[in-house]
Amino acid sequence: MNRRITGAALAGLLLVTGWGTGCSPEAPRPHSASATPRTPAAKPAGTHADAQAATAAAYRKWGLKPLAPPPAPPSTKPASGKTADGEVPVISEIPTDQKIVFLTFDDGAEKDPEFVKMMRELKIPFAMFLTDSAIRTDYGYFKKLQELGDSVQNHTLTHPNLRTLSAAAQRQEICGQQEKLKKEYGSAPRLLRPPYGNWNKDTRAAAASCGIEAIVLWRESMQIKNMQFQDPHKKLHPGDIILAHFRGPSELKGRTMTQMTANLLRHVREQGFTIARLEDYL
């Protein structure tokens, strides 16, 4: 079965969400081989060792060990363009041999300032699939994340099960959110995530008419402490897309969004993966 193109039955299996630890050794201090003591030369600013130390300190602050830097993105995006039959593609993973995964956050109900701080310090790339009914009380919160380089994508106006709607109603949900997000964030999204992962042929047609280039599903979802896997062996695979949500203590049994995200980062690192920017590949 083609793992990139998934049907509604598979997508509907994963409706829930939530996941961090560490440090790295400092670079050795320079020393002279001469027996005569000397004043060490000043280290040039901005060295690779300095960057590593700063990264380790940032991760350590959040109780984490650093993820490996993601590889340089490919010159040609491996998952772009329409399908052979001319429809908007439905994607839950990116074709790659690199040990990278892609992080996405949905909805927008939780607006925790500590999460903005965490992402600014850790520099974790992710895509936001936003629903207007969840974000309209504070559009500015997500602008702060956008300014960090994290993209704003479409998750409909009101978060309905699109498969229960007419073609016209689906178009209103998708195109209406395109207009809202363009107004608030400066550009219309390229990507759509249908709520609950539910879509049909009308969804693809509506998405295309609204300027959407791909429908994005997922392979794993973030839970409070663990991840929910489609793989029965509970393993990540190169190119997997991970679903998470903007959720807070009221939905996470008292835990915060930063605690849940930290757990996710721990799982990613423990399996030998790092996180890359979705838009560099799609």
Side-chain angles (χ1 to χ4, degrees):
M1 181 183 293
N2 188 333
R3 297 179 77 236
R4 293 183 56 204
I5 307 300
T6 60
L10 177 58
L13 290 175
L14 302 173
L15 313 182
V16 286
T17 11
W19 353 126
T21 312
C23 58
S24 70
E26 295 184 3
R29 297 176 184 237
H31 62 276
S32 172
S34 169
T36 304
R38 296 182 183 178
T39 301
K43 290 171 65 179
T47 64
H48 180 64
D50 290 335
Q52 285 186 315
T55 297
Y59 274 83
R60 187 163 55 245
K61 175 181 175 180
W62 296 96
L64 297 166
K65 293 180 180 179
L67 295 176
S75 56
T76 301
K77 295 180 179 182
S80 60
K82 293 184 177 181
T83 63
D85 55 7
E87 293 193 282
V88 170
V90 181
I91 293 171
S92 53
E93 64 179 8
I94 302 297
T96 180
D97 293 327
Q98 305 265 18
K99 293 200 77 173
I100 55 175
V101 292
F102 303 93
L103 183 55
T104 64
F105 283 87
D106 279 14
D107 302 343
E110 177 69 4
K111 303 167 183 69
D112 183 355
E114 284 295 297
F115 180 72
V116 178
K117 186 177 180 180
M118 182 188 209
M119 294 296 100
R120 180 183 295 117
E121 293 176 357
L122 299 186
K123 299 178 175 60
I124 302 294
F126 63 92
M128 299 177 279
F129 288 84
L130 302 179
T131 297
D132 190 65
S133 60
I135 69 172
R136 65 176 58 146
T137 58
D138 190 358
Y139 290 120
Y141 174 84
F142 303 94
K143 197 165 292 185
K144 294 173 185 176
L145 292 168
Q146 183 190 34
E147 289 169 355
L148 299 180
D150 302 308
S151 71
V152 171
Q153 306 296 346
N154 192 325
H155 198 42
T156 73
L157 284 170
T158 65
H159 205 274
N161 179 348
L162 292 175
R163 289 167 56 193
T164 68
L165 302 183
S166 67
Q170 289 199 46
R171 191 174 187 282
Q172 174 56 32
E173 282 285 339
I174 298 168
C175 290
Q177 182 66 336
Q178 289 288 91
E179 294 169 7
K180 290 271 189 180
L181 295 175
K182 182 177 181 179
K183 177 182 176 183
E184 296 297 332
Y185 302 105
S187 60
R190 298 173 44 246
L191 309 175
L192 167 72
R193 173 166 287 152
Y196 316 109
N198 290 342
W199 58 277
N200 57 21
K201 62 181 181 62
D202 289 336
T203 311
R204 295 174 90 170
S209 71
C210 299
I212 293 293
E213 297 176 20
I215 293 172
V216 178
L217 302 181
W218 61 89
R219 286 294 177 196
E220 292 80 30
S221 64
M222 178 170 109
Q223 308 299 306
I224 296 174
K225 293 183 179 179
N226 302 306
M227 281 199 288
Q228 186 176 53
F229 294 83
Q230 289 187 26
D231 183 338
H233 302 294
K234 298 185 177 182
K235 296 292 185 182
L236 295 170
H237 298 273
D240 280 359
I241 296 171
I242 300 173
L243 165 67
H245 287 82
F246 287 96
R247 288 182 176 166
S250 64
E251 296 179 279
L252 302 177
K253 298 182 179 180
R255 286 186 170 81
T256 66
M257 188 170 174
T258 58
Q259 290 173 318
M260 191 169 59
T261 302
N263 284 332
L264 182 152
L265 297 178
R266 288 189 185 99
H267 286 295
V268 169
R269 187 181 185 279
E270 285 167 1
Q271 293 204 23
F273 284 78
T274 193
I275 297 172
R277 185 174 182 270
L278 180 63
E279 295 77 14
D280 289 338
Y281 292 75
L282 175 58

